[in-house]
């Protein structure tokens, strides 16, 4: 485990972002969490056990794949960091194993988590099953209807799924409800937040649990190409896979960093989740960052075809990387992402998660901008199995019609 | 001495607890809220908390969540919160209880200015801790507003001392680990928390979360300076709405609860500033 080089300061601030905008009741528990995390990360026994779990159970380090077919289409060398091959099918296993092991170390028997599409919920339920922790997942009622399969997965793994009926009944409300549970049960409960957002120490802690993505990819890229990539590209919702990729490269000034947010139906429609591109500075779920809000500071519902990016906030370190200009954040619309999903499926035989397809779409633009001598590193954060229903409907692939186009 | 200090001093001289009543602005409507707050004051509430309805109320239980949702669905804006303050601050000292983002959005200095102009006395900030409150501290000082931060049973003695130092008017002690909402029994942890605050500071202590009737108000008033009641008032308005749909009956129920609570803080208020020993009876 490499120590962090990118902040935050002692009180959890990345520049003017981050911090702790939390009820006082949770400040002592956050201090306790920070202390345990810092101690654990300096203990060989803890880091060795986490490394073992990541290697033997999660299947990391994940492969760095030289995507030659995609490269031909892109006009630059495209490298895919195959987080989709991890156990549970996404980078999220890194974060949940770290937090679950920390929960054991704190002596807490119960974990709560929020989930939107169910991916973090499934990952949390998996880690809790593996380490023998009770797991309760809060999930918006609307999302439960949309993601029945993941609800079944969580239940099969032994987690209790609690429908959230307040507010917009989606991810942000699931976080609200998890926070309400946490403030009530904090003595025996750890809140396993699913992204690099929230109050300090969550953004830094989740980053450090996911930074293996970039640490591995940096070494793999040097070994494969003899040089650093010209650009590192990831999708950004809350931002855990992106910060996990970026962190290793932040000190490498020659490496351009790009985060691609969910542009949804496009800005003009108001239906998007492009928090940094279109949002304003504000406070949500414990940190100052960018968020989608109305004139009065009420949080606006986001929209994306990708449930994992469908969040009106973003982690504070991304806000800081954007403000300092170290990383560039751009929107990708639903249509662009789905085109990229089909492109990668057909050119490489890899069906990405729709979240990760945003990164692929953005990387194609970056490749065009940088030219054919460039190497573009893409975090393929998750696999697309969970998205097959969405994709089949988008591309109109259900039904009994003949693929030759003739009507039967 | 400002109006909040005067109110606590007056209650103290009468050897009773100060009764603090909460409703979210715009609930059940702008007029309905103002009417209910006036009824509350008629019934004996000494200090009003106007809630700023917010889209993501993480420290509120289902009752206040529902009220805030109703208020926002009805179109409540920041200016309506300030208008509500203006309408009741002529009667009793009035503070706003608000999550932080709407204040940042409006502009911390601008909100302090406009709140003071509306006759408001200060802010209760459930998700702003003194550690993050530099801008609000400057703005509240500039406009003579009270800063009411929260302490909790989980707060360390160091944080209680630091928070009490940062507060003015009073300090808000949350009696339980949890969200807002009525509870059958008052918390055993509240008296201990009040004792810990008193060991650090002489600032008046208001206890909130879970008080819903005169009996509980009397119990809390036996060890705290102020008794804060929110969800129970909101409940009266929600019930009236669900039952008969007549706004008037909700207001009458609010007035009745206020009278019950006001009698309670007079029965229970036997403490002095050095009290705390009567805790947990």
């Amino acid at each position: 485990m490499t120590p962090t080089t990118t902040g935050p300061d002692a009180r959890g601030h990345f520049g003017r972002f981050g911090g702790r905008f939390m009820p006082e009741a949770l400040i002592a528990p956050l201090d306790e969490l920070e202390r345990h995390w810092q101690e654990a990360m300096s203990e060989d026994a803890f880091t060795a056990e986490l490394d073992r779990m990541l290697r033997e159970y999660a299947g990391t380090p994940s492969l760095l794949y030289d995507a030659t077919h995609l490269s031909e289409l892109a006009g630059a060398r495209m490298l895919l960091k195959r987080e989709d091959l991890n156990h549970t099918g996404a980078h999220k296993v890194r974060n949940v194993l770290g937090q679950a092991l920390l929960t054991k170390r704190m002596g807490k028997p119960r974990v709560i988590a929020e989930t939107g599409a169910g991916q973090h919920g499934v990952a949390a339920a998996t880690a809790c099953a593996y380490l023998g922790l009770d797991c309760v997942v809060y999930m918006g009622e609307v999302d439960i209807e949309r993601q029945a399969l993941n609800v079944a997965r969580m239940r099969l793994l032994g987690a209790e799924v609690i429908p959230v009926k307040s507010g917009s009944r989606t991810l942000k409300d699931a976080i609200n409800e998890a926070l309400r549970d946490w403030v009530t049960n904090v003595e025996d409960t750890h809140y396993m937040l699913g992204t690099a957002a929230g109050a300090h120490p969550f953004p830094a802690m989740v980053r450090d649990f996911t930074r293996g993505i970039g640490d591995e990819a940096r070494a793999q890229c040097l070994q494969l190409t003899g040089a650093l990539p010209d650009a590192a590209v990831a999708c950004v919702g809350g931002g855990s896979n992106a910060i996990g990729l970026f962190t290793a490269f932040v000190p490498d000034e020659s490496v351009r960093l790009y985060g691609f947010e969910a542009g949804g139906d496009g800005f003009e429609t108001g239906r998007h989740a492009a928090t940094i591109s279109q949002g304003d500075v504000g406070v949500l779920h414990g940190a100052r960052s960018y968020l989608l809000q109305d004139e009065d500071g009420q949080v606006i519902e986001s929209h994306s075809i990708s449930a994992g990016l469908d969040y009106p906030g973003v982690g504070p370190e991304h806000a800081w990387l954007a403000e300092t200009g170290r990383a560039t954040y751009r929107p990708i619309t639903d249509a662009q992402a789905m085109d990229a999903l089909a492109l990668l499926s057909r050119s490489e035989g890899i069906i990405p998660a729709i979240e990760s397809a945003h990164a692929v779409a953005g990387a194609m633009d970056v490749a065009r901008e940088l030219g054919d001598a460039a190497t573009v590193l893409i975090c393929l954060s998750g696999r697309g199995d969970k998205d097959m229903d969405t994709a089949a409907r988008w591309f109109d692939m259900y039904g009994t019609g003949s693929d030759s186009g003739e009507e039967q | 001495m400002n109006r909040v200090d005067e109110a606590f001093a007056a209650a103290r001289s009468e050897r009773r607890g100060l009764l603090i009543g909460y409703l979210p602005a715009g609930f059940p409507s702008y007029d309905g809220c103002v009417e209910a707050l006036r009824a509350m004051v008629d019934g004996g509430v000494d200090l009003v908390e106007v809630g700023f309805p917010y889209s993501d109320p993480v420290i509120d239980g289902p009752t206040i969540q529902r009220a805030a949702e109703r208020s926002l669905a009805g179109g409540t804006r920041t200016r309506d919160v300030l208008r509500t303050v203006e309408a009741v601050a002529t009667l009793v000292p009035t503070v706003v209880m608000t999550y932080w983002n709407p204040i940042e959005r409006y502009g911390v200095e601008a909100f302090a200015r406009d709140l003071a102009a509306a006759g408001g006395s200060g802010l209760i900030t459930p998700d702003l801790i003194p550690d993050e409150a530099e801008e609000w501290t400057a703005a509240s000082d500039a406009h003579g507003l009270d800063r009411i931060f929260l302490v909790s049973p989980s707060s360390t003695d160091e944080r209680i001392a630091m928070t009490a130092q940062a507060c003015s008017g009073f300090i808000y002690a949350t009696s339980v680990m949890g969200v807002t909402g009525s509870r059958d029994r008052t918390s055993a942890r509240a008296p201990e928390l009040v004792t810990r605050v008193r060991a650090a500071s002489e600032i008046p202590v208001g206890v909130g979360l879970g008080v819903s009737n005169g009996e509980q108000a009397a119990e809390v008033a036996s060890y705290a300076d102020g008794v804060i009641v929110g969800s129970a008032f909101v409940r009266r308005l929600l019930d009236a709405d669900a039952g008969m749909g007549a706004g008037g009956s909700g207001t009458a129920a609010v007035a009745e609860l206020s009278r019950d609570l006001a009698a309670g803080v007079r029965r229970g208020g036997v403490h002095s500033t050095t009290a705390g020993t009567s805790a947990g009876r």
Side-chain angles (χ1 to χ4, degrees):
Chain A
M1 298 284 166
T2 321
T4 175
T5 55
T6 49
D9 69 17
R11 292 194 303 143
H13 295 104
F14 301 91
R16 63 176 169 143
F17 301 106
R20 280 180 178 170
F21 294 83
M22 273 282 167
E24 167 66 21
L26 288 173
I27 299 303
L30 287 164
D31 280 337
E32 181 199 14
L33 175 62
E34 183 181 10
R35 181 172 57 76
H36 275 276
W37 165 57
Q38 296 286 2
E39 285 174 9
M41 295 304 270
S42 65
E43 280 172 14
D44 290 343
F46 182 89
T47 55
E49 175 62 3
L50 182 54
D51 283 344
R52 185 197 65 74
M53 285 162 48
L54 286 167
R55 193 173 59 247
E56 295 177 8
Y57 183 74
T60 68
S62 60
L63 297 175
L64 186 71
Y65 170 66
D66 203 350
T68 52
H69 305 295
L70 185 68
S71 299
E72 278 173 34
L73 297 168
R77 188 170 187 181
M78 309 292 265
L79 304 179
L80 302 179
K81 179 61 173 165
R82 296 292 307 275
E83 291 291 300
D84 59 318
L85 298 177
N86 296 347
H87 180 45
T88 71
H91 73 285
K92 287 187 178 292
V93 71
R94 298 177 186 263
N95 174 39
V96 295
L97 286 180
Q99 289 200 50
L101 192 60
L102 196 56
T103 305
K104 296 284 278 190
R105 189 185 185 279
M106 289 189 286
K108 295 187 173 187
R110 180 173 178 266
V111 162
I112 55 171
E114 82 295 341
T115 199
Q119 291 308 104
H120 173 58
V122 169
T126 300
C128 289
Y130 178 53
L131 289 179
L133 296 161
D134 291 336
C135 184
V136 172
V137 180
Y138 288 93
M139 185 169 185
E141 206 172 39
V142 170
D143 290 329
I144 285 182
E145 284 165 23
R146 292 193 290 205
Q147 302 286 342
L149 200 58
N150 271 342
V151 173
R153 282 195 181 105
M154 288 183 265
R155 288 180 175 150
L156 193 60
L157 289 160
E160 181 187 357
V161 180
I162 299 183
V164 175
K165 298 174 181 181
S166 58
S168 59
R169 296 176 293 144
T170 57
L171 176 58
K172 79 175 176 70
D173 308 284
I175 295 177
N176 294 341
E177 206 56 38
L179 285 168
R180 293 180 188 119
D181 180 314
W182 204 33
V183 76
T184 307
N185 299 302
V186 70
E187 279 180 22
D188 75 346
T189 299
H190 173 62
Y191 181 14
M192 187 180 277
L193 187 67
T195 192
H200 179 67
F202 280 104
M205 183 178 75
V206 174
R207 173 198 66 202
D208 285 0
F209 284 140
T210 55
R211 64 168 295 162
I213 301 169
D215 290 336
E216 291 164 17
R218 190 176 184 282
Q220 289 165 324
C221 185
L222 282 170
Q223 189 173 23
L224 179 72
T225 71
L228 292 172
D230 297 287
V233 176
C235 63
V236 180
S240 66
N241 93 89
I243 206 70
L245 178 72
F246 290 174
T247 299
F249 296 104
V250 166
D252 299 321
E253 284 176 20
S254 68
V255 181
R256 295 170 171 83
L257 305 176
Y258 293 95
F260 290 97
E261 302 189 301
D265 292 343
F267 292 158
E268 63 285 359
T269 66
R271 287 168 55 79
H272 60 82
T275 310
I276 295 177
S277 311
Q278 288 287 297
D280 297 291
V281 174
V283 169
L284 177 66
H285 294 147
R288 183 180 286 118
S289 186
Y290 287 95
L291 66 132
L292 303 181
Q293 55 183 320
D294 70 12
E295 256 181 86
D296 286 351
Q298 307 287 348
V299 180
I300 295 174
E301 276 179 60
S302 55
H303 169 81
S304 168
I305 192 170
S306 152
L309 304 183
D310 198 353
Y311 177 58
V314 65
E317 192 167 359
H318 287 296
W320 180 68
L321 290 171
E323 189 167 76
T324 58
R326 179 63 190 94
T328 302
Y329 297 83
R330 296 179 185 166
I332 293 292
T333 63
D334 288 355
Q336 288 173 298
M338 295 310 286
D339 285 349
L341 184 140
L343 182 76
L344 189 66
S345 300
R346 296 191 180 184
S347 61
E348 296 285 357
I350 297 170
I351 302 176
I354 300 175
E355 290 80 6
S356 318
H358 286 71
V360 175
M364 297 299 282
D365 292 337
V366 170
R368 267 190 291 280
E369 290 162 23
L370 298 183
D372 58 9
T375 301
V376 179
L377 169 65
I378 303 161
C379 184
L380 205 69
S381 54
R383 68 181 179 220
D385 303 42
K386 70 184 175 61
D387 296 318
M388 287 321 301
D389 183 60
T390 307
R393 289 172 197 280
W394 179 272
F395 294 115
D396 198 16
M397 286 168 171
Y398 280 137
T400 54
S402 161
D403 280 355
S404 66
E406 291 168 20
E407 287 193 25
Q408 291 186 330
Chain B
M1 193 180 257
N2 71 20
R3 291 182 71 192
V4 173
D5 298 333
E6 283 168 11
F8 274 100
R12 191 168 285 183
S13 71
E14 293 168 24
R15 302 183 63 77
R16 66 175 180 89
L18 185 91
L19 180 59
I20 302 169
Y22 165 97
L23 276 183
F27 170 79
S29 62
Y30 171 77
D31 290 335
C33 177
V34 170
E35 197 186 316
L37 287 171
R38 286 181 175 145
M40 232 186 233
V41 172
D42 286 345
V45 158
D46 301 297
L47 189 152
V48 161
E49 266 182 45
V50 173
F52 196 137
Y54 182 51
S55 54
D56 295 83
V58 295
I59 202 181
D60 285 309
T63 302
I64 291 178
Q65 283 176 46
R66 203 165 309 140
E69 274 177 32
R70 280 267 304 273
S71 171
L72 291 174
T76 300
R77 303 288 309 268
T78 303
R79 63 174 172 271
D80 300 316
V81 176
L82 291 165
R83 280 169 62 215
T84 305
V85 170
E86 204 164 13
V88 292
T90 50
L91 307 174
V92 289
T94 301
V95 297
V96 171
M97 180 154 189
T98 181
Y99 292 92
W100 193 240
N101 195 53
I103 307 304
E104 283 218 353
R105 183 65 165 173
Y106 193 89
V108 176
E109 161 62 26
F111 192 86
R113 178 198 65 211
D114 292 353
L115 179 61
S121 294
L123 285 186
I124 301 172
T125 53
D127 65 349
L128 184 76
I129 55 175
D131 318 50
E132 301 282 358
E134 204 175 316
E135 198 179 357
W136 165 232
T137 300
S140 51
D141 281 344
H143 294 281
L145 296 171
D146 282 327
R147 291 181 294 273
I148 300 137
F149 296 106
L150 279 60
V151 286
S152 142
S154 67
S155 302
T156 61
D157 289 341
E158 292 72 25
R159 287 198 61 82
I160 286 174
M162 182 276 288
T163 303
Q165 182 71 33
C167 283
S168 57
F170 67 102
I171 190 167
Y172 190 127
T174 55
S175 62
V176 293
M177 291 298 288
V179 296
T180 58
S182 303
R183 287 171 175 82
D184 293 340
R185 287 181 303 168
T186 50
S187 165
R189 299 179 78 174
E192 184 210 335
L193 177 59
V194 172
T195 303
R196 290 167 67 209
V197 174
R198 292 207 197 286
S201 170
E202 289 182 359
I203 194 162
V205 187
V207 169
L209 300 200
V211 178
S212 61
N213 58 44
E215 197 183 330
Q216 291 174 338
E219 188 184 331
V220 171
S222 71
Y223 58 83
D225 303 283
V227 179
I228 304 168
V229 181
S231 295
F233 281 120
V234 172
R235 186 81 259 163
R236 293 296 188 285
L237 291 172
L238 283 171
D239 285 350
D241 217 37
M244 293 147 278
S249 62
T251 304
V254 163
E256 191 189 331
L257 174 61
S258 184
R259 281 191 296 273
D260 180 32
L261 294 165
V265 298
R266 283 163 176 80
R267 279 201 304 279
V270 294
H271 75 279
S272 69
T273 52
T274 54
T277 47
S278 61
R281 64 179 186 174

